[in-house]
Amino acid sequence: MAENNRTFFEGLYGLDRIEFAKGLIYVYPFGVIGKENNNNVKSHAHNNQFQIFVVIEGETNLLYNNEKLHIKGPSFITVPKNTDHGFEHLTEVKGWIISLSDNVLEHMIKREAEVIEAIEMFQVTTIVAGEYSEVVFNTMQNCIKEYNSAELGRLLMLEYLVGQLIVQLRRLPQSLQYTIHNADNSSIIYYRRFTQLIRESSSYKKSVEEYASDLKIAGGRLSRICNYVGFKSPREIIMDYYVTQAQLLLSNVEKSIAEVCYTLGFEDPSYFSRIFKRKTGLTPNEFRKKIGTK
């Protein structure tokens, strides 16, 4: 989908849906999408995921801001949500794309404000044997192995490994990273603060106007910021967050659907169900059956 002369996808490149395991992680071979597009993945962004491109073998150019950065394996690239990027593969590339749900990540690490910075870094890291980068790379490999397994406790292990990976990315020494600086501006700052306020709020009922007032800007300006940075209206962004929270709460068998609805500040269970189905394609009951919770 193209907006404001930018292209974004809610799935991987060219796709508008993504099936995160436990709403958290999706893993796909790196290089396949390039082959399907004549080794040229045009500049695009994702408004719902933090991505890690693990380059095990091969060479590619990372495309950003009309520039090219040569990448050679073994290395990895971290790309925050809403960040334009593309690839021009120079050889056959082997590796993995690890996509992590931005909303669920922020829920996992919300008490560790400094760790959140790890999912805001657009950077390239070369993997060097014996260095800390190799430790991080090994955790990535463990995530990929677990994702592709059918072992008992897979989802719980994935949650643990993803948490470990994010902390390790934050601890990665700056001397081992090549940070790509995006042009910072007030829109990005306001957008990030808006999403923080959503996480801090305890109720879906809080209006867009109330959020705008907290930010000390007009509601119209908040709408323009959200559409430019996040590709969505403020209300859609609020819905996305609370539907993600609903998915987490619905995985708890002890809570009824009505209890989940009221916990999140929805006054009408029927309205809650309609919003949930609009965003996920499933009713709350269908979602519970799909994940094995009744």
Side-chain angles (χ1 to χ4, degrees), residues 60 82 105 109 174 210-211 264 280 284:
T60 186
N82 301 322
L105 275 181
I109 58 182
Q174 290 187 354
E210 288 176 299
Y211 282 112
L264 296 175
T280 67

Side-chain angles (χ1 to χ4, degrees), residues 1-193:
M1 184 182 300
E3 290 189 20
N4 300 314
N5 297 318
R6 301 172 72 195
T7 301
F8 78 94
F9 301 103
E10 292 197 3
L12 296 183
Y13 182 78
L15 301 174
D16 287 326
R17 291 191 70 85
I18 188 167
E19 290 291 332
F20 291 112
K22 202 176 181 180
L24 173 62
I25 182 172
Y26 181 79
V27 175
Y28 192 79
F30 187 34
V32 173
I33 295 172
K35 282 184 178 179
E36 295 171 347
N37 291 275
N38 297 316
N39 292 322
N40 187 5
V41 178
K42 295 180 180 179
S43 184
H44 65 284
H46 306 277
N47 60 9
N48 62 339
Q49 55 190 285
F50 170 70
Q51 290 190 307
I52 304 169
F53 295 88
V54 185
V55 185
I56 297 175
E57 295 179 12
E59 297 181 42
T60 186
N61 283 331
L62 171 64
L63 311 178
Y64 68 100
N65 292 341
N66 296 315
E67 297 184 31
K68 296 181 181 181
L69 180 63
H70 183 251
I71 308 292
K72 185 177 181 180
S75 59
F76 59 84
I77 309 156
T78 60
V79 183
K81 73 174 183 179
N82 301 322
T83 301
D84 294 305
H85 62 286
F87 292 97
E88 181 184 78
H89 296 331
L90 305 176
T91 68
E92 182 177 2
V93 176
K94 295 183 179 180
W96 298 92
I97 305 170
I98 302 174
S99 295
L100 301 171
S101 168
D102 186 77
N103 281 338
V104 176
L105 275 181
E106 291 188 349
H107 174 81
M108 285 175 59
I109 58 182
K110 62 184 178 181
R111 293 182 180 177
E112 296 282 350
E114 291 184 355
V115 176
I116 288 179
E117 293 180 16
I119 64 175
E120 297 175 341
M121 295 179 181
F122 186 17
Q123 62 188 27
V124 178
T125 302
T126 300
I127 299 162
V128 180
E131 298 279 2
Y132 194 74
S133 58
E134 187 178 40
V135 174
V136 183
F137 175 69
N138 288 338
T139 302
M140 291 176 185
Q141 295 280 64
N142 289 336
C143 280
I144 295 161
K145 181 179 178 181
E146 193 67 37
Y147 180 89
N148 290 316
S149 79
E151 295 289 335
L152 178 68
R154 168 177 172 264
L155 296 179
L156 186 60
M157 182 61 78
L158 279 171
E159 188 173 16
Y160 163 76
L161 287 169
V162 168
Q164 182 181 25
L165 175 57
I166 297 305
V167 172
Q168 288 178 347
L169 284 172
R170 183 64 183 87
R171 292 178 178 178
L172 195 63
Q174 290 187 354
S175 60
L176 300 179
Q177 308 165 30
Y178 177 83
T179 302
I180 301 167
H181 295 284
N182 293 324
D184 198 5
N185 56 54
S186 61
S187 292
I188 294 173
I189 294 170
Y190 276 121
Y191 179 83
R192 179 54 69 178
R193 180 58 183 148

Side-chain angles (χ1 to χ4, degrees), residues 242-254:
Y242 278 95
V243 168
T244 299
Q245 296 301 104
Q247 289 175 304
L248 294 170
L249 291 174
L250 286 168
S251 65
N252 180 355
V253 70
E254 295 180 359

